[in-house]
């Protein structure tokens, strides 16, 4: 079985996350998508995170409304060492589910800095990566744009699949948190 791994803080989960996984499951060769709630993303400030159990429950509720058994909420990373590194998560998934093929689903913003991820070479060697584009006008918050080198331009990766037809959802968890303040 070919499983898409869509990890994130989901702080909070929103219709963009759900709309994207629905589109990906309907328009790719994936059999399932597991939305892995990350307890502690090493690239994010853990002080602004709602508890992992609350975020997991919110993802479960959102997926219940979607009512598609091919898309599941997962707490797989909750039992892994922290911080949660994607390479370690994928390693643990391969060990626990050797019969499955795992595909990583990430946004263009993460692809652009993928060479900064821990053990990214291992991920590239062992997994396909489905990349959904971000809106061209959205600003990257990862680094100084004048000094930034796009990883996708620097590395030609045959396992990278760009989901150029995916719809754009004009929302972010950061935006939602800021509006709540």
């Amino acid at each position: 079985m070919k499983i898409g791994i869509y990890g994130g803080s989901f702080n909070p989960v929103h219709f963009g996350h759900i709309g994207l996984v629905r589109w990906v499951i309907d328009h790719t060769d994936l059999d399932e998508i597991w939305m892995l709630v990350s307890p502690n993303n090493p690239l994010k400030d853990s002080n602004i995170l709602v508890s992992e159990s609350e975020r997991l429950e919110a993802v479960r509720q959102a997926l219940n409304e979607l009512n598609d058994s091919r898309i599941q909420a997962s707490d797989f990373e909750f039992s892994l060492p922290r911080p949660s590194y994607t390479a370690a998560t994928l390693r643990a998934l391969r060990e626990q589910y050797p019969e499955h093929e795992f595909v990583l689903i990430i946004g263009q913003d993460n692809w652009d800095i993928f060479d900064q991820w821990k053990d990214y070479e291992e991920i590239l060697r062992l997994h396909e990566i489905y990349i959904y584009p971000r809106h061209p006008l959205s600003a990257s918050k990862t680094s100084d744009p004048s000094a930034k080198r796009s990883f996708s331009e620097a590395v030609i990766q045959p396992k990278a699949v760009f989901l150029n037809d995916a719809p754009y959802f004009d929302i972010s968890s950061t935006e939602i948190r800021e509006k709540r303040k």
Side-chain angles (χ1 to χ4, degrees), residues 12-69:
V13 65
H14 54 70
F15 73 85
H17 297 128
I18 302 305
L20 178 68
V21 293
R22 171 184 252 163
W23 186 90
V24 171
I25 199 70
D26 287 340
H27 293 90
T28 68
D29 59 347
L30 296 177
D31 298 301
E32 290 183 358
I33 295 177
W34 297 354
M35 291 181 69
L36 265 65
V37 177
S38 176
N40 183 16
N41 181 328
L43 299 175
K44 297 203 176 178
D45 180 2
S46 61
N47 294 327
I48 62 170
L49 287 178
V50 174
S51 77
E52 60 194 39
S53 60
E54 288 177 89
R55 291 181 287 121
L56 177 64
E57 183 55 32
V59 172
R60 284 185 175 144
Q61 286 178 5
L63 293 177
N64 281 343
E65 292 176 23
L66 183 60
N67 195 26
D68 188 332
S69 62

Side-chain angles (χ1 to χ4, degrees), residues 42-113:
L43 299 175
K44 297 203 176 178
D45 180 2
S46 61
N47 294 327
I48 62 170
L49 287 178
V50 174
S51 77
E52 60 194 39
S53 60
E54 288 177 89
R55 291 181 287 121
L56 177 64
E57 183 55 32
V59 172
R60 284 185 175 144
Q61 286 178 5
L63 293 177
N64 281 343
E65 292 176 23
L66 183 60
N67 195 26
D68 188 332
S69 62
R70 301 173 299 169
I71 306 170
Q72 303 169 21
S74 174
D75 63 357
F76 187 82
E77 285 191 330
F78 289 13
S79 62
L80 298 178
R82 297 177 190 193
S84 305
Y85 292 106
T86 301
T89 299
L90 290 168
R91 230 176 275 130
L93 284 166
R94 288 191 311 271
E95 285 177 21
Q96 189 162 339
Y97 303 100
E99 71 280 9
H100 295 326
E101 175 185 352
F102 293 101
V103 174
L104 184 61
I105 302 168
I106 63 173
Q108 177 73 46
D109 55 335
N110 279 309
W111 179 248
D112 287 344
I113 61 165

Side-chain angles (χ1 to χ4, degrees), residues 6 20 105-109 130-134 161-163 166:
Y6 182 38
L20 178 68
I105 302 168
I106 63 173
Q108 177 73 46
D109 55 335
Y130 289 1
I131 303 153
Y132 58 94
R134 296 292 185 146
V161 176
F162 288 85
L163 305 173

Side-chain angles (χ1 to χ4, degrees), residues 109-110 112-113 116 139-144 148:
D109 55 335
N110 279 309
D112 287 344
I113 61 165
Q116 296 173 28
S140 172
K141 298 180 181 108
T142 57
S143 63
D144 176 5
K148 185 175 162 218

